[in-house]
């Protein structure tokens, strides 16, 4: 069965600090996809990134970076030099290739304090 | 195209009443998904459509819930005889690729409150 665990329920950091959001997943498939979504107070889920299980290369996009490690079944998300606008709930998610739906973790609420 | 649109954004209803939500996906998207999100939880899959065909329903979708996508464009989600436990955010998503695991675009959701 597929499962996503985000152990950090809530994190608060002061603006300009770096912050890492943890994500651990479980799957029996060898082919799967991992996602991160951002949910600001408006409620809409905003897609941030998708990685497939065959691509362990870390990715950087501006202040955002993702560390995918199959050995530990983790897909962690780091925000560098955080800003108040980064305050939101962040969801890690998993989709198995044989399935057509995304399974979400419970999310991490991130507070960036000015 | 302005993205996935959901209507209404908020709905307050009395227990026992029926409610219907609408989702307009991105126009060329053939896949449409419904999710439910309760406070402090991640979105939970309810059902999805490939064009007008409903391909999968979660066990979360009780007999009081029904979803349609009659012409393969917009979709409706109806809840009959609402219960307080139905209070949640109902999210719709759509995707173009045959498989959702490429990228899905979500709407802003309909927040249902059953009193």
């Amino acid at each position: 069965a597929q499962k996503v665990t985000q152990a950090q329920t809530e994190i608060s950091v002061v603006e300009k600090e770096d912050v890492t959001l943890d994500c651990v997943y479980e799957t029996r498939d060898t082919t799967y996809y991992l996602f991160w979504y951002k949910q600001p107070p408006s409620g809409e889920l905003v897609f941030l990134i998708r990685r497939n299980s065959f691509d362990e290369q870390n990715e950087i996009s501006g202040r955002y970076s993702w560390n995918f490690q199959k050995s530990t079944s983790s897909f962690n998300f780091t925000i560098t030099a955080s800003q108040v606008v980064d305050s939101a709930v962040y969801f890690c998610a998993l989709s198995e290739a044989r399935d057509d739906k995304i399974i979400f973790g419970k999310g991490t609420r991130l507070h960036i304090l000015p | 195209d302005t993205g996935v649109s959901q209507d209404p954004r908020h709905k307050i209803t009395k227990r026992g009443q029926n409610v219907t939500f609408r989702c307009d996906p991105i126009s060329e998207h053939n896949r449409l998904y419904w999710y439910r999100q309760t406070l402090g939880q991640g979105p939970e899959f309810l059902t999805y459509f490939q064009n007008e065909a409903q391909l999968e329903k979660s066990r979360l979708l009780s007999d009081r819930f029904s979803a349609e996508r009659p012409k393969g464009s917009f979709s409706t989600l109806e809840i009959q005889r609402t219960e307080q436990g139905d209070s949640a955010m109902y999210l719709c998503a759509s995707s173009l690729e045959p498989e959702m695991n490429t990228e899905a675009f979500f709407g802003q959701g309909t927040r249902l409150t059953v009193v």
Side-chain angles (χ1 to χ4, degrees):
Chain A
Q2 48 184 327
K3 184 180 178 181
V4 176
T5 302
Q6 296 181 255
Q8 303 151 309
T9 304
E10 200 160 346
I11 300 175
S12 295
V13 299
V14 177
E15 195 173 19
K16 298 183 183 177
E17 288 185 354
D18 300 346
V19 58
T20 295
L21 308 182
D22 298 332
C23 173
V24 174
Y25 62 92
E26 294 177 28
T27 178
R28 294 177 184 172
D29 271 14
T30 56
T31 303
Y32 52 89
Y33 303 85
L34 295 165
F35 303 80
W36 276 95
Y37 279 85
K38 174 182 180 180
Q39 189 173 43
S42 61
E44 183 174 357
L45 281 164
V46 178
F47 170 84
L48 296 179
I49 189 172
R50 164 188 173 267
R51 305 294 286 179
N52 72 57
S53 53
F54 299 110
D55 183 3
E56 283 193 77
Q57 196 168 20
N58 292 331
E59 183 158 338
I60 298 174
S61 176
R63 297 184 296 107
Y64 295 171
S65 62
W66 291 269
N67 183 4
F68 177 25
Q69 291 193 336
K70 289 179 74 170
S71 61
T72 56
S73 297
S74 65
F75 186 44
N76 297 337
F77 172 32
T78 298
I79 302 175
T80 303
S82 59
Q83 300 176 2
V84 173
V85 294
D86 296 326
S87 297
V89 181
Y90 291 85
F91 292 98
C92 181
L94 164 72
S95 179
E96 296 172 336
R98 61 182 173 84
D99 207 343
D100 286 318
K101 57 184 179 286
I102 296 179
I103 301 300
F104 288 83
K106 292 187 176 182
T108 297
R109 183 174 296 276
L110 178 63
H111 300 278
I112 308 298
L113 308 172
Chain B
D1 197 336
T2 56
V4 179
S5 177
Q6 293 188 245
D7 183 70
R9 292 290 309 280
H10 303 273
K11 178 70 177 180
I12 300 174
T13 190
K14 291 183 178 179
R15 189 174 52 187
Q17 297 295 306
N18 299 342
V19 294
T20 300
F21 310 139
R22 176 179 170 124
C23 171
D24 287 274
I26 294 173
S27 58
E28 66 271 21
H29 283 187
N30 55 353
R31 286 277 173 109
L32 187 146
Y33 301 79
W34 285 100
Y35 279 77
R36 181 174 69 187
Q37 186 179 18
T38 54
L39 200 61
Q41 301 295 316
E44 297 173 299
F45 170 78
L46 293 178
T47 187
Y48 85 91
F49 293 83
Q50 167 86 11
N51 298 314
E52 66 275 12
Q54 189 172 16
L55 297 186
E56 186 175 346
K57 294 195 295 185
S58 164
R59 56 183 170 79
L60 294 175
L61 214 65
S62 76
D63 291 344
R64 297 184 297 106
F65 287 70
S66 63
E68 294 182 345
R69 195 183 183 197
K71 296 182 180 179
S73 55
F74 73 91
S75 175
T76 58
L77 177 68
E78 180 183 16
I79 309 174
Q80 296 182 326
R81 304 180 304 281
T82 52
E83 302 172 356
Q84 287 188 324
D86 297 331
S87 296
M89 175 78 86
Y90 290 83
L91 294 164
C92 177
S94 70
S95 63
L96 174 61
E97 302 298 326
E99 288 141 16
M100 187 189 192
N101 45 37
T102 50
E103 179 179 344
F105 295 87
F106 282 83
Q108 291 186 300
T110 294
R111 184 171 295 284
L112 173 66
T113 303
V114 182
V115 298

